[in-house]
Amino acid sequence: MGEERKLTVRVVLAGIIALTFIIWALFAGFGKEFAESSTVLIVGIIILVFAIFYFKRNYPLAKKKLPLEDERSRRIMDKAMASAYLVMLYFILAIMYFSETDISKYGWQKLTPYSTALIIMLAMVASFVIFWIYYNHKGDVG
Amino acid sequence: MRNRIREFRARFDLTQEDLAMKVGVRRETIVFLELGKYNPSLKLAYLVAKALKAKIDDVFVFDKK
């Protein structure tokens, strides 16, 4: 598959996923829980922004037939995924603790399983993006 | 590890993008290589040296520090 076509397929897929989140949050979610729908909306927006950034960054390369991926970009991806996974393990432990604890005395709503899942989803997306940006700027990923 | 990619590139009047195209990597990879911020795999080091018509140990200099 050509680089331009590969890029288009990836961005369209990410766009469809992001739009599914956004449409759900806007048309189905806001009638129920505002906080939960907002989380879905934020996840959708992060994915959409990342897809647009990815497209803008790679389209000039794809046009010149330069590869979208090479060993350095794959290493960055691997390190970002591994780091995000490690952080998420601790994060999920913390969320499990808070979902069992009565946090209403601090003015917070008790976490439902649904909102817990959404917070984890948001944290996964955000931590991956943060680590990807970090390793991409750090340079030394060897 | 130090390298002399910039020096060899200048010798052949190649831009970073030209070298990236020859080697088949992204331009940033060449940028980070030149800055000494990225240690390439043996395969990439070989491809870079080949594109610059030099030996690996002429282009990449191992620094014990």
Side-chain angles (χ1 to χ4, degrees), chain A residues 50-117:
Chain A
F50 198 67
I52 292 167
F53 168 75
Y54 182 78
F55 183 77
K56 281 189 84 174
R57 189 178 140 88
N58 289 298
Y59 186 68
L61 298 177
K63 270 197 107 175
K64 288 175 188 166
K65 309 264 184 251
L66 279 166
L68 293 177
E69 288 172 338
D70 60 15
E71 63 169 52
R72 183 176 164 273
S73 68
R74 272 191 288 269
R75 273 191 209 175
I76 288 170
M77 199 68 106
D78 289 349
K79 284 200 95 168
M81 281 195 284
S83 306
Y85 174 72
L86 197 66
V87 165
M88 284 313 298
L89 288 180
Y90 287 103
F91 186 80
I92 289 169
L93 277 179
I95 283 288
M96 279 165 71
Y97 170 77
F98 282 116
S99 63
E100 293 297 316
T101 312
D102 181 22
I103 50 173
S104 56
K105 57 188 171 193
Y106 305 113
W108 289 72
Q109 278 185 338
K110 192 168 177 4
L111 291 172
T112 62
Y114 182 71
S115 54
T116 307

Side-chain angles (χ1 to χ4, degrees), chain A residues 22 24-39 41:
Chain A
I22 292 167
W24 185 89
L26 292 179
F27 296 104
F30 275 132
K32 296 171 188 167
E33 284 288 334
F34 180 76
E36 289 164 353
S37 311
S38 310
T39 314
L41 187 65

